[in-house]
Amino acid sequence: MWENFLNAVALMLILEGMLPFLSPNTWREAFRRLTEINDNQIRFIGLTSMLIGLILLIIIT
């Protein structure tokens, strides 16, 4: 189980690191825009992301 968890974390880090590596200006602009939206919108984005991840996990397993 720990191996799967660590594999998932490693893949997440690879995917998260791709945008700042490939296009740092786009990454910076995305974070600038995030600071301008309100907390409820950020929570909605987080909830949507978690639900998509959960659905993918259910489909895969």
Side-chain angles (χ1 to χ4, degrees):
M1 177 173 162
W2 282 104
E3 184 178 347
N4 288 337
F5 176 74
L6 292 176
N7 283 335
V9 170
L11 286 172
M12 180 203 62
L13 290 172
I14 291 168
L15 291 173
E16 289 285 329
M18 286 176 71
L19 185 59
F21 177 75
L22 296 173
S23 183
N25 289 329
T26 303
W27 183 79
R28 187 177 295 112
E29 181 63 22
F31 272 93
R32 188 192 62 75
R33 287 184 184 172
L34 278 175
T35 62
E36 296 174 356
I37 62 176
N38 67 41
D39 289 349
N40 288 334
Q41 289 172 313
I42 294 173
R43 285 188 178 106
F44 180 75
I45 292 168
L47 176 63
T48 303
S49 175
M50 290 187 303
L51 290 175
I52 291 171
L54 179 62
I55 291 168
L56 285 173
L57 277 175
I58 290 171
I59 291 171
I60 292 170
T61 57

